[in-house]
Amino acid sequence: PPPPPPPPLFFLNAHPATPDPLWSRGLGDVYKRQFVGWAMNEMDDAWAALGWCRKAIETDERLGNPWNDIGAILLQMEQPTAAIPWLAAATRSQRYDAPGHPWSNLARAHEALGNKMAAFDAARTALEHSPDDENCLRIIDDLSDSLL
């Protein structure tokens, strides 16, 4: 079975402020919704991006991309505690094209909170999937001495 969703955040339960032209034309599948969420974030509309990613999860919760995108957006909003459940769900997703991404973001969230061992573990796992992830290489390097 898919991982249980993290606790809902009040703003993720609402529909995005922008119209949903894909849905009105019957094209609102999970990948399109997730892509619109990513595009809205690229246009600096984090709230709309969160809404679109939430719609993608409601369409198919097995895809890890929107879970990771929500966590990454929350990290950008300097809310690492709120990001962790979303990123953890992304790491357990059944379908993910780039499984190192949520682990890398999870490492960043734990690092921001000062959770050194959790950051180190997440960075190590990310590097198993993406050995050239510069952020995780830096985290491993920064934390190696302090954890010995």
Side-chain angles (χ1 to χ4, degrees):
L9 300 173
F10 73 93
F11 55 83
L12 295 177
N13 291 326
H15 292 286
T18 56
D20 186 349
L22 296 173
W23 181 254
S24 64
R25 288 187 268 152
L27 302 173
D29 70 14
V30 65
Y31 289 101
K32 290 176 182 165
R33 289 176 176 197
Q34 184 266 328
F35 178 78
V36 172
W38 173 84
M40 296 305 290
N41 191 51
E42 289 295 308
M43 295 187 306
D44 294 324
D45 191 346
W47 296 107
L50 290 168
W52 279 100
C53 289
R54 181 63 184 207
K55 282 184 168 188
I57 291 168
E58 291 169 359
T59 303
D60 185 351
E61 63 187 21
R62 297 171 299 161
L63 182 65
N65 303 55
W67 296 92
N68 181 64
D69 288 353
I70 288 174
I73 292 166
L74 291 169
L75 278 175
Q76 289 174 349
M77 297 171 78
E78 298 182 6
Q79 297 183 34
T81 301
I84 287 174
W86 297 93
L87 297 169
T91 66
R92 297 186 305 268
S93 66
Q94 294 175 5
R95 294 190 346 247
Y96 206 106
D97 296 332
H101 288 259
W103 286 107
S104 180
N105 287 329
L106 192 57
R108 289 178 38 229
H110 283 299
E111 180 185 38
L113 293 171
N115 301 333
K116 292 179 180 181
M117 194 66 212
F120 186 89
D121 285 342
R124 189 185 63 216
T125 304
L127 290 170
E128 291 173 10
H129 298 282
S130 305
D132 297 327
D133 184 319
E134 291 181 18
N135 185 57
C136 289
L137 290 168
R138 178 196 53 78
I139 290 171
I140 294 287
D141 188 52
D142 289 351
L143 296 178
S144 291
D145 292 337
S146 65
L147 293 176
L148 292 178

